[in-house]
Amino acid sequence: KHKEYVLSALGQALSGRSMKHLYYIVGLTGDNGKSTLLELCGEKFDIYVNRVDAGDIETGMSKSDRNKCLAELKGTRIAWVEEISKKKLDNRFLKEISGGKKVPYKVMYGTQDELIITFKLFMIGQQTPDLAGDAGSENRNRLIAFSSRFPKKQKEDDFKNKIFKQDIRFQDRILKEYGDEFVQIMLDYASKYYDELCEIPIEFQDKTDKLNEMSKDKVDTWFIENITKTLNEKDKLSAQEINQTLI
């Protein structure tokens, strides 16, 4: 089920139809193949796959750099970040690029263009992402947890502990010996996503629920620490003002 879901998510992304989902691929250690499939997609579908710098999805990005990022995502089907850091993610930006709507951005000399969202964003990391202040993202988030490991020094497969011998030529072999087959598999899974409506496995759903709960807890804590209820109309805050403060 895990394999079916991951492959169908990537296949659906290649179709160019945005499904308003954000994928967080998490593994607590290295050597577990988190980025392998995305790197293979980048090799075989290079005009549709775009690697994004981690800083582009974090808070504090300048407007000019953000505009450049949006311009580079035109026509992309799979956008991916190799290693999200412990820094806070820009929830507003993530919502914009996963909302299925057109996103306006400045080009130069006062001119403006629009980015039509045709891609899904996959974010890879070794820790749970910081989504503080994003309590309304439950329907967008999908957390995929990789539990298997492939250490370089592992000599035998240990199925009980999900530790396996690493094939250092795996990626090279796929590209050189099974490139066409890999492309066909991805196209088949794109169709399978729509035909069978592949559901998120319960293990991934549990992880996603915990991620969303962590986000809610941080929002609740922020309200308790920063908001005081009064009867003065002048103290009233709009939802936009609160959202800007959280972000």
Side-chain angles (χ1 to χ4, degrees):
K1 286 184 177 180
H2 294 184
K3 178 196 73 175
E4 298 287 304
Y5 183 73
V6 173
L7 289 175
S8 64
L10 287 168
Q12 188 279 324
L14 287 168
S15 73
R17 294 178 60 186
S18 174
M19 298 295 287
K20 300 184 180 181
H21 292 162
L22 292 171
Y23 290 90
Y24 300 95
I25 301 177
V26 175
L28 297 179
T29 65
D31 297 324
N32 54 15
K34 296 188 298 294
S35 60
T36 301
L37 276 174
L38 290 160
E39 290 173 349
L40 287 170
C41 287
E43 291 286 344
K44 302 305 294 185
F45 302 93
D46 59 319
I47 64 172
Y48 294 126
V49 180
N50 197 326
R51 187 167 160 180
V52 179
D53 186 81
D56 291 339
I57 61 170
E58 296 169 353
T59 57
M61 173 64 63
S62 68
K63 288 185 179 180
S64 59
D65 286 339
R66 183 57 49 77
N67 288 332
K68 180 182 177 183
C69 174
L70 290 171
E72 291 175 347
L73 287 172
K74 271 201 164 185
T76 297
R77 303 289 177 85
I78 293 177
W80 67 288
V81 179
E82 180 161 14
E83 202 66 49
I84 53 175
S85 69
K86 295 181 180 180
K87 294 182 179 179
K88 190 174 183 301
L89 302 183
D90 189 332
N91 300 321
R92 180 182 295 176
F93 180 61
L94 292 178
K95 183 177 180 180
E96 283 185 341
I97 63 174
S98 64
K101 299 179 180 179
K102 296 178 181 179
V103 181
Y105 65 93
K106 291 183 179 180
V107 183
M108 59 174 61
Y109 307 120
T111 59
Q112 185 169 292
D113 202 349
E114 289 183 328
L115 171 66
I116 299 174
I117 304 300
T118 58
F119 61 86
K120 280 184 179 176
L121 179 63
F122 293 81
M123 291 164 278
I124 299 173
Q126 290 190 21
Q127 65 276 320
T128 303
D130 185 354
L131 301 180
D134 195 21
S137 64
E138 292 92 339
N139 294 328
R140 297 199 309 271
N141 297 331
R142 298 289 185 275
L143 195 149
I144 300 172
F146 278 34
S147 56
S148 298
R149 293 179 55 211
F150 303 86
K152 292 181 180 180
K153 295 183 179 181
Q154 186 72 14
K155 297 184 183 290
E156 296 181 357
D157 292 335
D158 182 351
F159 289 90
K160 182 179 179 179
N161 296 305
K162 299 180 182 179
I163 303 175
F164 303 97
K165 182 179 177 180
Q166 185 180 116
D167 181 354
I168 59 175
R169 294 188 59 247
F170 174 77
Q171 196 163 325
D172 189 54
R173 288 174 57 201
I174 293 293
L175 293 173
K176 291 183 178 179
E177 300 175 28
Y178 305 102
D180 292 341
E181 289 82 354
F182 176 77
V183 171
Q184 187 61 56
I185 287 172
M186 298 310 300
L187 295 178
D188 289 343
Y189 271 94
S191 175
K192 192 172 185 176
Y193 185 97
Y194 294 106
D195 294 342
E196 301 182 16
L197 297 176
C198 187
E199 295 184 357
I200 183 170
I202 187 169
E203 296 87 353
F204 292 167
Q205 186 62 62
D206 288 343
K207 296 285 187 182
T208 301
D209 291 341
K210 289 179 181 178
L211 175 67
N212 291 330
E213 285 301 317
M214 287 175 62
S215 173
K216 285 182 179 179
D217 290 343
K218 289 182 179 180
V219 174
D220 291 341
T221 299
W222 184 90
F223 267 91
I224 293 172
E225 293 178 349
N226 295 278
I227 300 295
T228 301
K229 185 177 181 180
T230 73
L231 299 178
N232 191 334
E233 284 290 321
K234 294 181 179 180
D235 294 332
K236 184 182 292 185
L237 292 173
S238 68
Q240 183 178 4
E241 288 173 321
I242 293 173
N243 190 47
Q244 287 176 342
T245 304
L246 281 168
I247 291 174

